[in-house]
Amino acid sequence: MPTRFKRSSKAALMVMVPATTLMLASCSSEEPVQTAVYETAEQCAGFYNPEQCKADFAAATALHPQVAPKYSDKTSCEVDFGAGNCETPATAAAAAPATTNTTSSGSSFMPMMMGFMAGQMFSGGGRSNLQAQPLYKSGDDRSTFRTATNQPVSRFTGPVKVMPSRMVPKPGAAVNRGGFGAQAQKRSEQQSSGG
Amino acid sequence: MKKIQIEERPGWRNYAESVGFNFHTFDGEAYWDETAYYQFSLAQVEDDLEAPTEELHQMAISLVSEILADEQKLTQLAVPEPYWDWIKQSYDSAQPHLYGRLDLAYDGTGPAKLLELNYDTPTSLYESGFFQWVWLEDQILRGKLPANADQFNSLQDQLEHRFANLQLAEPFYFSSVSNNIEDKGTVLYLLDIAQQAGIDARFLGLDEIGEIDGQLVDTENFPIQTMFKLYPWEFMVREDFGRHLLTSKTQWLEPAWKMLLSNKGILPLLWQKYPNHPNLLPAFFETAATQPLTAGWVRKPLYSREGANIELVDSEGQRLQVAGPYDDAPFIRQAFHALPKFDQSYTLIGSWVVGDSAAGICIREDNSLITKDSSRFSPHIILD
């Protein structure tokens, strides 16, 4: 036997084996928290306290122009959220009950609010660490309700458990996407971009 | 250096697909070819391939600071001027590199000759690091190869070791054009190794990369702090998001300075600095005064890949040309050096470096002297 090999001592694959689903282990000790997803305050009122539903819906609607991702043109927004699902902050304000002035420019586009996630409804007297917020649906997945930061919440309306740390609303950034890749398209879609 | 026929492992195609090797056959034509293997002696590997690979690598690395200090060289390499400072910064701050592949003409005797450096987006990594390794183990187990057969291939070990030591901010993203099967396969292999090294590595399609205020972000709009990309730098700097490279706080593999070495202009620069080096072929930049191609010369664009746009005239005056889309940048001329012929095919050796260390070889065959994407991949062994 040679004393020194010129090849790797082992060659294992963890990810590339299709049958294996690799779950990235979460390191946090966070507990999931109960909440609910509805499309409208009325839908929510069928199951919970109507006043609380209205309050949470109003809070979510007020947050909507602040947290929704912003696009400089309608087409870019519709690429992510689907045709007909984008609006300007002005349109959102006109449709919303008693929203205060938006901070976004009138010329930007954002996805329409598709529903809301309850905040205080489940706090059971104490303060919940969940904030009522608007939910959206992406163009290529019309079932999943997602937060403005693209966190999936639920594929159905009704009660759901979520991790509070992933549900923190943030001001909606003006995001552009897809600015790499044109040269490869131009030179050939099937050819490898490598050498 | 011998080429020896061997029995294919029964069911190898099913096995290949079960381990993510979905491009083993390309448009109905074989890519992975295990009907034969190449055999080298240990001395051939160590003296004629491994040592020259490390030497050529150091020679190339030594050119980087010289290029950065010389605007004429930067211009000859067609590096866009707005990126010069950024590239210099990536070198001055010692941004680490991961790997590269040198393409060598070698027939078992005499010095191997450097044909090209693939130092930005080398492919055939998975076949080299994993699949040919498994082939050897299998054939030894089946008794088709002697137990003391070895292979010049420590790619996966070295990549894992290097990932573990790079101290990359996490999550570390791996990106390629999403719908290109071969590219995605290569990138998933690297991602796999990075995860084995304990890194939180994630795939992000090139088209999914977003930008907010000049910072590149993922699909959840979180800043991309570290990214490996299997996509050429020379494309990125010419695309819509190219300008964000200058402002985004992102550490890249390969680092920006590697762009200088993955450009065929490095071949004339190597020849200028190390004329008559045994492992180099004469090479020059084409100028307006350069004559049309004559016997014994090859014409290559600075930026082509997989043999595209290469034209050669062999020593007998036979002309060979590959069409392609890379005709919009300068060209170089390199002396023709025939690839060795085994049976009906021409054989090219790809010699890997990980960091600054030689990490193994891969062998490709083509029916023509210009090796292309669809060339066949053959395994090899070392046996004395």
Side-chain angles (χ1 to χ4, degrees):
Chain A
M1 281 295 240
T3 50
R4 188 169 63 96
F5 286 97
K6 295 212 86 76
R7 67 185 190 275
S8 297
S9 54
K10 64 165 176 47
L13 293 179
M14 265 167 63
V15 172
M16 285 190 75
V17 183
T20 307
T21 318
L22 189 73
M23 304 296 289
L24 291 172
S26 163
C27 299
S28 86
S29 51
E30 199 182 13
E31 291 295 304
V33 157
Q34 185 74 57
T35 182
V37 169
Y38 290 103
E39 286 167 345
T40 60
E42 292 70 31
Q43 206 181 60
C44 168
F47 300 91
Y48 297 100
N49 177 324
E51 288 312 309
Q52 196 59 66
C53 288
K54 259 205 241 172
D56 277 1
F57 181 77
T61 310
L63 258 190
H64 162 55
Q66 292 175 45
V67 302
K70 308 295 183 306
Y71 297 80
S72 54
D73 64 278
K74 194 172 186 201
T75 313
S76 303
C77 176
E78 291 189 335
V79 163
D80 284 350
F81 291 95
N85 295 327
C86 295
E87 61 184 3
T88 61
T91 322
T99 342
T100 50
N101 67 304
T102 70
T103 53
S104 45
S105 82
S107 60
S108 65
F109 286 84
M110 59 191 193
M112 292 175 187
M113 185 174 142
M114 291 290 159
F116 73 106
M117 188 175 85
Q120 299 307 308
M121 268 165 51
F122 295 89
S123 59
R127 265 202 80 74
S128 155
N129 50 357
L130 270 188
Q131 202 172 342
Q133 58 190 276
L135 297 177
Y136 308 89
K137 289 185 180 181
S138 81
D140 57 3
D141 176 1
R142 302 308 296 160
S143 10
T144 310
F145 289 96
R146 301 167 179 275
T147 68
T149 57
N150 199 17
Q151 284 294 325
V153 177
S154 178
R155 277 185 290 127
F156 310 101
T157 55
V160 66
K161 281 198 172 167
V162 298
M163 296 300 225
S165 68
R166 297 201 197 136
M167 302 289 139
V168 178
K170 293 198 278 252
V175 57
N176 302 303
R177 211 171 293 281
F180 287 129
Q183 288 274 318
Q185 289 244 331
K186 189 177 114 176
R187 307 217 186 233
S188 166
E189 255 178 81
Q190 284 319 305
Q191 228 190 8
S192 165
S193 300
Chain B
M1 179 179 166
K2 301 179 201 167
K3 181 175 173 181
I4 302 167
Q5 306 293 314
I6 189 172
E7 217 181 77
E8 294 179 275
R9 294 166 294 167
W12 73 259
R13 287 174 184 82
N14 287 337
Y15 170 68
E17 280 150 41
S18 77
V19 289
F21 190 10
N22 298 313
F23 47 99
H24 59 76
T25 306
F26 204 81
D27 277 348
E29 304 254 339
Y31 167 56
W32 171 265
D33 182 357
E34 60 179 76
T35 59
Y37 64 93
Y38 285 81
Q39 179 174 311
F40 300 90
S41 70
L42 186 60
Q44 283 176 323
V45 163
E46 292 188 329
D47 301 339
D48 295 342
L49 296 171
E50 186 173 28
T53 292
E54 292 188 348
E55 189 187 348
L56 287 166
H57 170 76
Q58 288 302 334
M59 284 157 59
I61 295 283
S62 79
L63 276 173
V64 176
S65 55
E66 293 175 24
I67 296 167
L68 288 169
D70 185 341
E71 293 193 355
Q72 196 208 13
K73 291 196 168 85
L74 284 165
T75 309
Q76 277 179 317
L77 296 180
V79 181
E81 208 230 307
Y83 293 88
W84 290 358
D85 282 343
W86 175 67
I87 295 170
K88 183 167 197 304
Q89 224 264 317
S90 83
Y91 182 74
D92 289 345
S93 61
Q95 292 300 301
H97 59 289
L98 181 68
Y99 72 150
R101 196 193 75 233
L102 293 74
D103 285 345
L104 303 171
Y106 176 68
D107 64 2
T109 59
K113 297 291 188 186
L114 180 69
L115 294 178
E116 288 181 16
L117 285 176
N118 290 287
Y119 264 26
D120 182 16
T121 58
T123 48
S124 73
L125 185 73
Y126 171 83
E127 308 85 286
S128 303
F130 179 78
F131 208 72
Q132 70 173 350
W133 187 97
V134 176
W135 169 86
L136 176 67
E137 298 278 309
D138 280 353
Q139 297 291 43
I140 291 175
L141 281 171
R142 295 177 69 230
K144 301 297 177 191
L145 287 172
N148 64 334
D150 196 1
Q151 193 178 76
F152 184 25
N153 172 21
S154 55
L155 255 176
Q156 192 160 329
D157 269 0
Q158 289 204 44
L159 283 167
E160 188 179 337
H161 188 75
R162 190 150 180 87
F163 276 131
N165 285 299
L166 277 178
Q167 295 175 320
L168 300 157
E170 294 168 73
F172 177 46
Y173 292 91
F174 285 80
S175 188
S176 68
V177 174
S178 306
N179 60 4
N180 185 303
I181 299 171
E182 194 193 332
D183 283 1
K184 193 160 184 195
T186 302
V187 151
L188 286 180
Y189 177 54
L190 281 162
L191 186 156
D192 197 307
I193 298 172
Q195 287 195 354
Q196 291 185 51
I199 294 174
D200 176 2
R202 307 182 190 181
F203 179 80
L204 182 67
L206 198 78
D207 57 319
E208 297 181 297
I209 296 172
E211 169 271 331
I212 298 176
D213 292 335
Q215 172 69 37
L216 296 174
V217 299
D218 67 7
T219 50
E220 291 172 12
N221 297 345
F222 293 137
I224 296 170
Q225 296 181 83
T226 48
M227 174 166 266
F228 173 94
K229 57 161 192 65
L230 187 69
Y231 194 72
W233 274 126
E234 69 263 20
F235 286 1
M236 291 172 85
V237 300
R238 290 172 171 85
E239 290 175 346
D240 187 32
F241 273 13
R243 64 190 193 282
H244 302 312
L245 294 169
L246 302 174
T247 50
S248 186
K249 292 187 177 36
T250 305
Q251 179 186 358
W252 294 96
L253 282 180
E254 291 296 305
W257 60 262
K258 265 308 211 43
M259 161 175 4
L260 305 177
L261 299 183
S262 61
N263 175 323
K264 291 198 213 351
I266 203 66
L267 298 167
L269 292 179
L270 278 168
W271 184 255
Q272 281 172 30
K273 188 173 181 188
Y274 303 98
N276 302 311
H277 188 283
N279 298 113
L280 292 179
L281 292 167
F284 307 95
F285 286 104
E286 202 176 78
T287 66
T290 311
Q291 299 301 304
L293 211 53
T294 51
W297 287 94
V298 186
R299 185 173 187 253
K300 302 184 182 185
L302 286 192
Y303 286 135
S304 84
R305 289 176 144 70
E306 313 290 358
N309 291 92
I310 292 186
E311 186 186 352
L312 68 83
V313 183
D314 70 17
S315 29
E316 264 106 68
Q318 290 255 355
R319 185 173 295 267
L320 183 62
Q321 194 165 11
V322 174
Y326 296 99
D327 52 2
D328 52 352
F331 282 76
I332 65 148
R333 299 288 177 92
Q334 187 183 47
F336 172 75
H337 182 91
L339 292 174
K341 204 168 184 192
F342 288 84
D343 302 335
Q344 297 310 306
S345 328
Y346 296 95
T347 299
L348 176 68
I349 295 181
S351 185
W352 293 93
V353 282
V354 173
D356 296 329
S357 158
I361 58 170
C362 59
I363 298 179
R364 279 162 306 144
E365 293 183 333
D366 201 299
N367 295 331
S368 88
L369 283 164
I370 299 175
T371 313
K372 301 176 284 298
D373 201 7
S374 52
S375 311
R376 290 176 305 283
F377 188 111
S378 296
H380 74 275
I381 69 170
I382 307 172
L383 195 64
D384 278 334

